[in-house]
Amino acid sequence: MKNPEAQQDVSVSQRIRVMFYVMKPSETSFQTLEEVPDYVRKATPFFISLMLLELVVGWIRKGKPPGGLDDALTSMSAGIVSQLPRLFYRSIELTSYVYIWENYRLISLPWDSPWTWYLTFLGVDFGYYWFHRMAHEVNIMWAGHQTHHSSEGYNLSTALRQSVLQIYTSWIFYSPLALFIPPSVYAVHLQFNLLYQFWIHTEVIDNLGPLELILNTPSHHRVHHGRNRYCIDKNFAGTLIIWDRIFGTFEAENEKVVYGLTHPINTFEPFKVQFHHLVNIWTTFWATPGFFNKFSVIFKGPGWGPGKPRLGLIEEIPEVEGKEVPFTSSASQLLKIYVLVQFTLILAFYEETFADKAVLSQVSLLLRVCFIILTLTSIGFLLDQRPKAAVLETLRCLVFLGLCRAGHLKPCFSSLSFALEDWNYL
């Protein structure tokens, strides 16, 4: 997926159907990797549309939105951060796969065969199950995946709360497919598997009847996101819930699910959301005596400790009462409106940067990425009401003006452009 001009067009119908994996082999089979559309980016408008629809439905049904603005902005910020490396290089999930395919493949299945398409569907979903399970059972992998679970809400914005670290381990679980599945077919299903999981992050949909037996559904995935004891390490499925049923990790939704980490992080700051567990591992590693115990801190479960089972003790998971109140920002409504405006602007800037990355210099790309990260960090500071939030926001505004003057950014409003042009003559 290097050359956008070589990619196939994606119709509006396909952009909708791809969200639910309702696609046919004949319309999604490509001979080369360069022809595979970037389905995830093309589905972005539908992410926003479905989130707005969920907001309306939730408000009608319950008289309130399905989550807080602060939590939703933090989730979308994490999604933005997770995608920024793609501005500089192709995902390691693809580069590693292509390397294995070109150097070690055993056979080459036909790229245009429906059998290859369906086999890849099962193979990617099976690989995702084991990656996802290990991301909960291996502490260093959990350090990446915990980002996705840190939200104390459960709505479509939660699906966007992704880790920047996760892809550096997930590729391992898909690599066996490179021995016989063409990269172009793999690239299609890797995206479809991810997109399917967007719509299941909602409380608007209750139960889907017989489909609950085969598919991963909102009900099954709500359990996965719960911090109730009965929810811990359950329902790892991507698209098909059959893997959980086969390997003994399935749990049906029964009592009310309380969402989030067993020990909430209580912050909206993107760096803490992404990296706080790495800091915890580092501290625990040096505080734990013995080489093998230190090794276990990294490669056993997040709840492990000396003398405990590999995954820790379920009795040590804090019990929930169902009355827990999610962490919310104490910022004023006026400040939240300001934050929302700034986030909307940086989201548009993020989309523009991806659209123009082919014509931007590496220096401009790097400066733009730094500015995006600075903006999201400032937003997190403002929502957290940090003492230095006003200083950081002032610095961000000055950096914006400096980058505009240097020509690396362009203002959203023509009046500001004229003002900056006048400044250049001073």
Side-chain angles (χ1 to χ4, degrees):
M1 295 184 291
K2 284 191 295 187
N3 181 8
E5 295 181 1
Q7 293 177 6
Q8 300 294 312
D9 290 332
V10 180
S11 68
V12 174
S13 169
Q14 289 175 326
R15 294 185 192 197
I16 296 173
R17 289 185 289 119
V18 74
M19 304 282 288
F20 305 96
Y21 226 129
V22 187
M23 302 292 281
K24 296 180 292 184
S26 59
E27 59 185 340
T28 55
S29 294
F30 307 95
Q31 185 172 7
T32 66
L33 192 59
E34 286 70 27
E35 294 176 79
V36 178
D38 191 341
Y39 289 105
V40 174
R41 294 210 59 75
K42 292 180 184 296
T44 298
F46 296 97
F47 291 159
I48 306 299
S49 300
L50 288 174
M51 287 165 62
L52 291 174
L53 178 61
E54 180 191 43
L55 177 65
V56 172
V57 173
W59 211 308
I60 292 173
R61 291 178 58 179
K62 298 183 178 180
K64 61 179 182 179
L69 174 67
D70 42 22
D71 186 75
L73 293 183
T74 305
S75 293
M76 289 188 281
S77 294
I80 290 173
V81 171
S82 73
Q83 294 296 304
L84 291 178
R86 294 179 58 202
L87 286 167
F88 302 101
Y89 50 82
R90 182 189 278 175
S91 165
I92 191 173
E93 289 178 320
L94 288 177
T95 54
S96 59
Y97 193 95
V98 170
Y99 177 81
I100 295 170
W101 168 261
E102 291 180 345
N103 294 279
Y104 300 105
R105 70 177 179 266
L106 302 177
I107 58 172
S108 300
L109 294 182
W111 63 269
D112 54 352
S113 168
W115 291 106
T116 303
W117 196 93
Y118 287 113
L119 179 62
T120 310
F121 159 62
L122 292 174
V124 168
D125 202 48
F126 183 72
Y128 178 82
Y129 169 84
W130 282 107
F131 153 69
H132 196 184
R133 182 168 175 174
M134 291 302 102
H136 281 254
E137 296 184 359
V138 176
N139 204 18
I140 193 64
M141 294 177 65
W142 173 246
H145 187 61
Q146 59 78 31
T147 300
H148 183 60
H149 284 264
S150 60
S151 172
E152 293 182 76
Y154 189 78
N155 50 65
L156 293 177
S157 71
T158 309
L160 305 180
R161 187 178 288 224
Q162 297 293 326
S163 167
V164 71
L165 301 173
Q166 189 165 284
I167 60 170
Y168 298 105
T169 54
S170 61
W171 66 271
I172 299 169
F173 298 85
Y174 302 122
S175 56
L177 297 174
L179 299 175
F180 54 95
I181 299 291
S184 61
V185 187
Y186 163 74
V188 166
H189 287 279
L190 189 65
Q191 294 186 78
F192 289 0
N193 192 274
L194 175 65
L195 288 168
Y196 177 88
Q197 294 178 58
F198 175 76
W199 71 273
I200 62 177
H201 289 83
T202 185
E203 292 187 301
V204 169
I205 300 172
D206 295 324
N207 188 286
L208 294 179
L211 294 178
E212 302 278 340
L213 298 173
I214 302 171
L215 298 176
N216 192 15
T217 65
S219 176
H220 297 329
H221 206 58
R222 285 193 290 267
V223 171
H224 178 72
H225 272 259
R227 68 178 195 248
N228 314 55
R229 288 183 178 177
Y230 88 94
C231 298
I232 301 300
D233 294 340
K234 299 296 182 182
N235 299 0
F236 299 111
T239 304
L240 300 174
I241 199 65
I242 59 172
W243 310 121
D244 287 286
R245 296 184 184 277
I246 291 171
F247 297 110
T249 52
F250 174 75
E251 187 70 45
E253 183 179 27
N254 46 67
E255 63 189 69
K256 179 183 176 181
V257 177
V258 178
Y259 304 108
L261 301 172
T262 56
H263 299 87
I265 57 175
N266 295 338
T267 184
F268 301 110
E269 198 271 295
F271 276 96
K272 281 196 172 182
V273 170
Q274 291 284 348
F275 304 117
H276 81 95
H277 194 69
L278 275 179
V279 176
N280 179 60
I281 291 176
W282 177 263
T283 304
T284 306
F285 179 86
W286 290 111
T288 302
F291 173 80
F292 289 105
N293 283 338
K294 290 183 184 296
F295 184 85
S296 297
V297 167
I298 297 174
F299 294 105
K300 289 188 178 180
W304 179 85
K308 297 178 184 177
R310 181 176 67 89
L311 300 180
L313 298 168
I314 193 67
E315 302 82 45
E316 293 184 350
I317 301 294
E319 289 197 63
V320 298
E321 299 177 356
K323 300 178 182 178
E324 287 73 11
V325 178
F327 176 71
T328 56
S329 172
S330 59
S332 67
Q333 291 301 314
L334 189 61
L335 182 57
K336 288 182 179 179
I337 292 172
Y338 174 80
V339 164
L340 178 60
V341 170
Q342 297 305 314
F343 181 84
T344 303
L345 292 174
I346 204 64
L347 180 61
F349 177 68
Y350 160 83
E351 289 291 335
E352 177 196 86
T353 300
F354 264 93
D356 295 344
K357 69 176 182 178
V359 298
L360 292 171
S361 69
Q362 289 294 298
V363 172
S364 289
L365 277 177
L366 182 60
L367 290 172
R368 282 171 172 245
V369 165
C370 289
F371 181 69
I372 290 171
I373 293 173
L374 177 61
T375 300
L376 297 178
T377 302
S378 183
I379 287 173
F381 270 51
L382 291 169
L383 290 174
D384 277 356
Q385 292 288 273
R386 298 277 191 89
K388 302 294 185 181
V391 175
L392 182 62
E393 178 61 10
T394 302
L395 174 64
R396 185 189 74 88
C397 292
L398 292 174
V399 169
F400 171 75
L401 293 174
L403 290 176
C404 285
R405 186 182 184 189
H408 295 293
L409 303 182
K410 59 182 180 181
C412 299
F413 305 105
S414 56
S415 57
L416 183 55
S417 298
F418 292 137
L420 286 168
E421 288 175 7
D422 293 339
W423 183 23
N424 285 332
Y425 289 112
L426 295 178

